[in-house]
Amino acid sequence: MAIKKFFIPAVIILFLFVSFPAMINYPPYGDVTMNYLNSYFMNFSNFIDIMHIHGHPIVWYLVMMPFAKTGIFYPYSIMILNYVCIFAALVIMLFKAPFNGIIKIAVVFSPIILDYFAILPRCYSIGILGLFILADMFKNQLKRPVLYSIIMGLTANTSAIAAIGVSAFFLLFIYNFFKNYGNMPKNRLNMGILSAFIILVSIIFLVMP
């Protein structure tokens, strides 16, 4: 029992010890700087043009915008922002995922987490966070369909990679919705229709670039 009690804190501390210094000492390269500059010059009248030119969905630009507009602690502000996203995603996985300890360790210390998502301040870590939140909410998706749909829409608009994962959650959402259609109260049905509309609008934004 003592091992189980200290397992997750030990994994978290070790992850911080290994990844945080590497993240802080990693210089931002051209693509990272370009995204930062896009957020600096972007406003709500030209973000569609920026998306067409650079092909990235809108969410990461919007999240970076306050830091880019003010120039606070560049580049550390966006590096830490990205790091917080992947760290939060891993904490959700460690506490909520029904995996054994070996699998959880393999995920946390996998090369793609340590050498990519935790270090490079790109749009992917926030998408991973969204996918992990969707996985955690999956069992209650029909109880909170609007919130679930909003998170799906936001996650789909973080990156094309995240959109692939969201498409799987979306198909399962539609399947479960119609599977339980006859047993759902009227207000829940209305929420389901609204949720479908939210997802449709999100997909339109996603394909615009």
Side-chain angles (χ1 to χ4, degrees):
M1 293 297 294
I3 295 177
K4 291 183 178 180
K5 181 179 180 180
F6 293 104
F7 171 73
I8 293 179
V11 172
I12 291 175
I13 292 172
L14 184 58
F15 174 78
L16 291 171
F17 179 79
V18 172
S19 62
F20 191 81
M23 180 271 296
I24 288 295
N25 291 287
Y26 193 93
Y29 63 97
D31 198 23
V32 174
T33 303
M34 179 60 70
N35 290 334
Y36 184 86
L37 290 175
N38 287 338
S39 294
Y40 176 79
F41 290 107
M42 186 178 71
N43 53 54
F44 290 101
S45 64
N46 67 1
F47 74 89
I48 294 178
D49 294 331
I50 291 177
M51 290 169 63
H52 275 289
I53 294 171
H54 295 283
H56 292 296
I58 189 63
V59 170
W60 182 238
Y61 289 141
L62 291 177
V63 171
M64 281 196 301
M65 186 183 291
F67 303 95
K69 294 289 188 182
T70 58
I72 297 176
F73 300 124
Y74 176 81
Y76 300 108
S77 56
I78 59 172
M79 295 168 70
I80 293 175
L81 174 65
N82 175 80
Y83 190 84
V84 167
C85 289
I86 193 62
F87 179 77
L90 293 176
V91 168
I92 292 173
M93 187 273 297
L94 287 170
F95 280 98
K96 300 290 188 176
F99 306 140
N100 61 41
I102 295 176
I103 294 178
K104 289 182 178 181
I105 290 175
V107 172
V108 172
F109 297 103
S110 61
I112 194 169
I113 295 292
L114 287 179
D115 295 337
Y116 195 80
F117 293 140
I119 295 177
L120 298 179
R122 297 288 306 279
C123 57
Y124 305 116
S125 293
I126 193 172
I128 298 298
L129 174 59
L131 291 174
F132 281 20
I133 292 174
L134 289 172
D136 182 50
M137 293 181 60
F138 183 78
K139 59 182 179 295
N140 296 316
Q141 58 180 298
L142 295 182
K143 294 181 180 179
R144 308 177 73 178
V146 174
L147 177 61
Y148 193 76
S149 299
I150 290 173
I151 296 175
M152 274 198 288
L154 291 174
T155 303
N157 282 281
T158 59
S159 71
I161 295 175
I164 295 172
V166 170
S167 64
F169 283 107
F170 172 67
L171 292 175
L172 290 172
F173 175 79
I174 294 298
Y175 170 78
N176 290 325
F177 178 78
F178 284 105
K179 180 181 178 181
N180 297 277
Y181 184 84
N183 300 322
M184 295 174 65
K186 186 176 181 180
N187 62 327
R188 196 73 59 79
L189 292 175
N190 293 334
M191 292 297 99
I193 295 172
L194 176 61
S195 301
F197 175 76
I198 293 172
I199 296 172
L200 177 62
V201 173
S202 301
I203 292 174
I204 291 174
F205 273 98
L206 180 66
V207 301
M208 284 177 64

